[in-house]
């Protein structure tokens, strides 16, 4: 089903020395190189003439999968994994195309990590490049093809290659150019130079890699320019792991031309930043350029030539490389956003207050009808701005975060709850304080939202100079003061919206989009239900979900069930591995007639289930965190079982389920101790 023209491109794509490819690589010439189809799914078919493997609708139906699994691999040095692939479909089935997913399966994890996914159809081969950070852990590569709609749907793999080095590095000797692509311009583009390619219009150089006519490089030539202000852009693969250091490359500019050669970075939000520009023409030979490159979040590198005058000439580029040290040969550390985050369980972390007064106090609350516990565990600490008792109209309490380096994009994420105010707007606001200019800019403030519910907020910002985040609580008048709660402040690099484009974390479910991979033994009025907002029955169930306050959770509706009736929610099958697993989730058991919530482990081929955890009766008006540590070396499932209690006030809910490899860092009982702290800055209500 693949286009015949693609085969010609593929024949050119196969590299010299294909039979001696590195581990984790395959050109699919005569075999699959240790990559095996998983028998429980459709098989990948090796094309009789070589060059690729494929799966299509002549072997399977829509929705069926083909899974390819590598042998054990290891990336003790930073590596780049490249996948050359094609997805084809008929025009009438564009709404439901086929999908290609790439996972990593670590030996100590019971789930697979989704690294990359694609479903865009193409009539030619495409390249995906994935940076793999160095690790001593063994892993397997798992490639999953899911057939889409239509009679001509197919997925093909032309090459898998795992090599030591960074994906933005390239000497342009391979036919697929390391995944570098042109931003198409009908008049002027970057071309491959060297080898047998000679240009009748210009005298082009020998390449830098081999310093001979056999080597290759990239070039752009003004002979093709039809108008001034034409721009040619060569775009690198997107970085997929945080990196910082020295980006170097060799360039050559023909003497006396009017071209401007620049290098930019561009993030997933489309923001450009110039990081280098030719400041002098240089000599006619190859010149070395070194530039500080900081990519704490996904970024492309763009090599751009702009034609601004009548004088012609070429610009050539070769041997792009990267080193994780600064260009002055000193190791550069990426800024750790953890320093600017805090859950307030132990102390204020790196946050502090101004000297005007104790506006914010670290407190621990016994949850009741009027006040929920903290957001982190339900029984821990959070910050409270108690403006109600200040008797100071216009009172302001400021909380400062640590200094953040300038010229980086940040995503600020936090949870807040508002109590007691008549008018909620502006009772909590967030400012960005620019240290060098002593300027504060408001970037967010509370509007109207549910009272007494932990709400999530996210803010993306970027400033050229060092900044601090400032949380400000405000009491407008003596008659309209209340309580402002703040918890779980996190800062990470990159845009908040960029996380929507990343694969979901493995083994996690917030129920925001769907029920994830959970299934039910039966579906009726007495099953688990996905819901947002309050439950229908008064004095039972949560007011909102744990994730965002206005999102979704799973719950049982007691008024649809009879006393003792069960609802069971089953996880997808989890792979058995040696060592400890940690399961965390949040549960809500509020209501005078609340029944029983249990978590069971069901091993493959065992009829018996083993009890891992249980809670009986009303627990709290808050969402509470559960941590369960267990071991299982066989394939297994986790089952959440809720049993309806003696009355309709027996709603039970769960949210934010997460499976992790390794033991739980802290056990649940450590968060349930009560009593007053000796710290004078900690108050228990």
């Amino acid at each position: 089903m693949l286009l015949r023209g693609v085969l010609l491109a593929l024949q050119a794509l196969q590299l010299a020395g294909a039979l001696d490819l590195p581990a984790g690589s395959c050109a699919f010439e005569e075999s699959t190189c240790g990559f095996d189809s998983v028998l429980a799914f459709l098989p990948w078919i090796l094309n009789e003439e070589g060059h690729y493997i494929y799966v299509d609708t002549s072997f399977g139906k829509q929705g069926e999968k083909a899974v390819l699994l590598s042998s054990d691999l290891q990336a003790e040095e930073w590596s780049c994994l490249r996948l050359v692939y094609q997805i084809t479909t008929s025009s009438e089935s564009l709404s439901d195309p086929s999908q290609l997913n790439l996972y990593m399966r670590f030996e100590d994890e019971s789930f697979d990590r989704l690294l990359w996914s694609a479903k865009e159809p193409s009539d030619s081969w495409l390249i995906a490049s994935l940076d793999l950070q160095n690790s001593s852990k063994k892993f397997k590569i798992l490639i999953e093809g899911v057939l889409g709609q239509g009679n001509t749907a197919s997925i093909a793999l032309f090459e898998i290659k795992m090599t030591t080095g960074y994906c933005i590095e390239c000497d342009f000797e391979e036919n697929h150019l390391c995944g570098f692509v042109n931003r198409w311009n009908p008049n002027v583009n970057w071309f491959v130079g060297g080898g047998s390619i000679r240009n009748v219009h210009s005298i082009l150089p020998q390449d830098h890699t081999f310093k001979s006519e056999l080597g290759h490089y990239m070039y752009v030539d003004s002979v093709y320019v039809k108008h001034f202000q034409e721009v040619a852009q060569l775009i690198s693969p997107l970085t997929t792991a945080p990196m910082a250091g020295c980006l170097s490359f060799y360039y050559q500019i023909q003497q006396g031309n009017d071209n401007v050669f620049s290098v930019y970075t561009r993030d997933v939000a489309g923001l450009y930043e110039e990081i280098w520009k030719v400041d002098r023409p240089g000599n006619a030979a190859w010149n070395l350029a070194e530039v500080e490159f900081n990519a704490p979040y996904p970024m492309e590198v763009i090599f751009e030539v702009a034609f601004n005058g009548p004088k012609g000439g070429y610009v050539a580029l070769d041997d792009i490389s990267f080193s994780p040290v600064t260009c002055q040969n000193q190791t550069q550390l990426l800024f750790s956003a953890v320093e600017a985050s805090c859950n307030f369980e132990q102390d204020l972390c790196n946050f502090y207050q101004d000297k005007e007064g104790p506006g914010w106090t670290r407190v621990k609350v016994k949850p009741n009808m009027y006040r929920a516990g903290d957001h982190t565990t339900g029984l821990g600490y959070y910050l409270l701005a108690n403006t109600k008792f200040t008797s100071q109209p216009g009172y302001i309490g400021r909380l400062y975060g640590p200094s953040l380096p300038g010229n980086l994009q940040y995503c600020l994420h936090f949870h807040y709850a508002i109590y007691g105010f008549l008018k909620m707007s502006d009772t909590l606001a967030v400012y960005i304080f620019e240290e060098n200019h002593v300027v504060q800019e408001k970037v967010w403030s509370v509007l109207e939202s549910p009272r007494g519910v932990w709400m999530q907020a996210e803010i993306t910002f970027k400033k050229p100079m060092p900044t601090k985040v400032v949380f400000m609580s405000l009491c407008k008048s003596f008659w309209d003061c209340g309580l402002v709660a703040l918890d779980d402040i996190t800062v990470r690099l990159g845009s908040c919206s960029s996380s929507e484009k990343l694969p979901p974390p493995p083994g996690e479910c917030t129920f925001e989009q769907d029920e994830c991979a959970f299934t039910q033994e039966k579906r009726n009025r007495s099953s688990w239900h996905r819901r947002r907002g309050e439950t229908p029955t008064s004095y039972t169930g949560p007011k909102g979900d744990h994730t965002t306050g206005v999102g979704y959770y799973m719950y049982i509706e007691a008024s649809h069930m009879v006393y003792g009736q069960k609802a069971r929610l089953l996880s997808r099958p989890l792979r058995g591995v040696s060592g400890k697993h940690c399961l965390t989730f949040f549960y809500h058991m509020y209501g005078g007639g609340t029944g029983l919530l249990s978590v069971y482990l069901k091993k493959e081929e065992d009829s018996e289930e083993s009890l891992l955890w249980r809670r009986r009766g009303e627990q709290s008006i808050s969402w509470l965190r559960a941590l369960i540590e267990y071991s299982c070396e066989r394939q297994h499932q986790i089952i959440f079982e809720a049993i309806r209690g003696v009355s309709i006030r027996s709603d039970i809910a769960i949210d934010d389920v997460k499976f992790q490899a390794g033991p739980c860092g802290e056990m649940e009982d450590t968060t349930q101790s009560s009593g007053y702290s000796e710290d004078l800055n900690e108050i228990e209500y």
Side-chain angles (χ1 to χ4, degrees), residues 67-178:
V67 178
L68 195 68
L69 190 63
S70 76
S71 55
D72 282 336
L73 302 170
Q74 205 159 2
E76 292 188 330
E77 296 181 68
W78 192 292
S79 300
C80 179
L81 179 66
R82 285 207 170 88
L83 194 69
V84 185
Y85 69 97
Q86 184 190 19
I87 299 172
T88 59
T89 188
S90 54
S91 57
E92 66 271 12
S93 60
L94 291 176
S95 60
D96 190 10
S98 300
Q99 186 162 332
L100 186 61
N101 302 317
L102 188 145
Y103 299 84
M104 284 183 77
R105 174 177 289 182
F106 285 100
E107 60 180 350
D108 64 340
E109 294 183 346
S110 59
F111 44 80
D112 300 324
R113 294 180 175 270
L114 178 62
L115 291 188
W116 170 87
S117 181
K119 56 185 177 182
E120 68 273 15
S122 170
D123 58 3
S124 63
W125 53 268
L126 300 174
I127 301 172
S129 300
L130 297 162
D131 283 295
L132 306 181
Q133 291 175 290
N134 47 309
S135 169
S136 59
K137 293 167 66 173
K138 288 184 179 179
F139 64 91
K140 295 178 189 284
I141 294 169
L142 189 147
I143 298 171
E144 176 187 75
V146 184
L147 289 173
Q149 185 181 9
N151 296 324
T152 58
S154 70
I155 304 165
L157 295 178
F158 307 125
E159 183 181 76
I160 301 168
K161 191 168 185 183
M162 192 172 91
T163 54
T164 300
Y166 296 80
C167 289
I168 59 171
E169 297 182 310
C170 197
D171 58 11
F172 302 109
E173 298 305 324
E174 299 186 23
N175 290 49
H176 54 52
L177 306 179
C178 317

Side-chain angles (χ1 to χ4, degrees), residues 30 39 247 275 286 384 414 425 462 514 537 551 597:
E30 298 174 352
L39 295 177
L247 180 70
I275 59 174
W286 286 102
L384 187 67
F414 60 94
S425 62
K462 181 178 182 180
D514 50 35
T537 311
L597 177 62

Side-chain angles (χ1 to χ4, degrees), residues 165-230:
Y166 296 80
C167 289
I168 59 171
E169 297 182 310
C170 197
D171 58 11
F172 302 109
E173 298 305 324
E174 299 186 23
N175 290 49
H176 54 52
L177 306 179
C178 317
F180 278 75
V181 295
N182 272 295
R183 189 197 73 174
W184 177 247
N185 183 322
N187 298 325
V188 60
N189 288 282
W190 288 86
F191 295 100
V192 179
S196 60
I197 300 171
R198 309 311 301 161
N199 189 297
V200 296
H201 302 289
S202 303
I203 302 172
L204 292 168
Q206 293 183 337
D207 94 308
H208 179 266
T209 313
F210 298 120
K211 298 179 174 57
S212 73
E213 293 184 358
L214 297 176
H216 298 85
Y217 52 88
M218 298 299 291
Y219 78 96
V220 60
D221 197 329
S222 64
V223 72
Y224 301 106
V225 175
K226 296 182 179 179
H227 310 283
F228 296 147
Q229 277 75 52
E230 292 278 15

